[in-house]
């Protein structure tokens, strides 16, 4: 069990126009206990992420909702929703890994965005993906190959749908080294919505297995 424990702090806002609620905004962010050495940096990091999402919802999403309401006010029966959620995916005495994900249901189509972070509890900073990979350089090609293998397996099983003619070059080109988080089974790296698959797949992720005992965890 990790000595690093925290709460998930939930806050709700109503974004309005002429006192009419058009968006119900909910945020869930992690908060470390103040007694932990990394609490100040950790908490400020996610508080800033929350403020950024509130700003985005207020200045990007609310004008869309207002335009829809002005055009057809009777069509908006209840407020739209915009949510910033948080999931802790791995904890150990050395690392805490999690992802935050934003999602809204405004037209023309829902938008899902994910961000992963893995914190080293000793250095008190997030660590890069190469911390957990045998190759510190040119690691994109092996991960792209692994993703393509899992894509072919999913397509054969009929459990997922990807863009036609998807190949290793596209997976390598669109691989972002910041898009990962840890799980008990290993490292999961993911691609943004629409990057390699239609919207129904939201944020596709792939598993790079890791034997945690080998890593000294």
């Amino acid at each position: 069990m990790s000595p690093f424990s925290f709460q998930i702090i939930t806050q709700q806002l109503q974004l309005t126009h002429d006192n009419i609620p058009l968006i119900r905004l909910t945020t869930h962010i992690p908060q470390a206990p103040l007694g932990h050495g990394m609490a100040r940096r950790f908490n400020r990091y996610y508080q800033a992420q929350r403020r950024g999402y509130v700003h985005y919802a207020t200045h990007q999403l609310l004008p869309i909702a207002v335009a829809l309401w002005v055009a057809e006010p009777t069509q908006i029966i209840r407020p739209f929703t915009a949510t910033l959620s948080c999931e802790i995916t791995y904890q150990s005495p050395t690392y805490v890994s999690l992802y935050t994900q934003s999602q809204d249901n405004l037209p023309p189509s829902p938008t899902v965005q994910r961000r992963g972070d893995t914190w080293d509890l000793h250095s008190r900073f997030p660590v890069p993906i190469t911390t957990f990979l045998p190759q510190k350089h040119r690691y994109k090609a092996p991960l792209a190959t692994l993703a393509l293998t899992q894509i072919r397996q999913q397509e054969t099983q009929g459990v997922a749908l990807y863009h036609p003619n998807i190949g290793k070059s596209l997976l390598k080109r669109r691989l972002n080294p910041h898009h990962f988080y840890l799980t008990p089974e290993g490292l999961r790296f993911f691609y943004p919505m629409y990057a390699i698959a239609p919207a129904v797949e939201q944020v596709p992720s792939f598993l790079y297995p890791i034997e945690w005992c080998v890593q000294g965890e």
Side-chain angles (χ1 to χ4, degrees):
M1 180 66 68
S2 170
F4 182 79
S5 59
F6 46 84
Q7 296 178 305
I8 303 297
I9 305 300
T10 299
Q11 294 183 322
Q12 294 183 323
L13 293 171
Q14 293 273 15
L15 303 185
T16 65
H17 173 71
D18 288 343
N19 295 321
I20 298 172
L22 295 183
I23 298 179
R24 183 181 296 112
L25 175 63
T26 305
T27 61
H28 309 274
I29 60 169
Q31 178 174 281
L34 295 180
H36 197 284
M38 66 178 289
R40 189 173 183 178
R41 177 178 295 117
F42 185 93
N43 293 346
R44 282 184 173 179
Y45 181 89
Y46 290 103
Q47 288 164 2
Q49 199 172 127
R50 177 190 178 275
R51 289 194 299 271
Y53 188 63
V54 171
H55 184 273
Y56 165 77
T58 302
H59 295 276
Q60 300 294 325
L61 299 182
L62 183 57
I64 297 174
V66 170
L68 292 169
W69 182 84
V70 170
E72 296 185 80
T74 59
Q75 298 301 310
I76 302 181
I77 302 173
R78 59 179 61 88
F80 295 107
T81 60
T83 304
L84 176 66
S85 60
C86 170
E87 182 170 342
I88 311 303
T89 59
Y90 182 79
Q91 300 181 64
S92 78
T94 306
Y95 299 112
V96 170
S97 194
L98 65 150
Y99 68 79
T100 53
Q101 182 165 289
S102 61
Q103 185 168 1
D104 67 78
N105 66 348
L106 275 79
S109 61
T111 300
V112 180
Q113 295 182 331
R114 182 177 295 178
R115 178 173 180 170
D117 295 302
T118 298
W119 294 79
D120 184 320
L121 300 182
H122 300 308
S123 70
R124 304 175 184 177
F125 283 94
V127 293
I129 192 171
T130 51
T131 303
F132 309 99
L133 301 176
Q135 294 177 276
K136 305 306 179 185
H137 305 286
R138 299 182 179 178
Y139 60 88
K140 286 191 174 183
L143 290 184
T145 299
L146 180 63
L148 185 59
T149 299
Q150 295 181 23
I151 285 172
R152 297 304 183 221
Q153 292 173 343
Q154 293 172 15
E155 290 178 327
T156 299
Q157 296 167 359
V159 298
L161 179 66
Y162 293 89
H163 291 328
N165 303 318
I166 190 169
K168 180 179 173 180
S169 60
L170 175 66
L171 292 166
K172 181 180 176 181
R173 187 167 64 252
R174 297 191 175 178
L175 178 64
N176 185 326
H178 299 291
H179 290 172
F180 83 97
Y181 52 89
L182 305 182
T183 73
E185 295 76 30
L187 180 150
R188 278 207 169 267
F189 59 101
F190 56 90
Y191 289 82
M193 190 176 188
Y194 302 113
I196 63 171
V200 66
E201 300 299 335
Q202 295 195 351
V203 182
S205 68
F206 305 96
L207 177 65
Y208 176 87
I210 296 176
E211 293 292 338
W212 289 110
C213 58
V214 176
Q215 302 295 323
E217 284 288 278

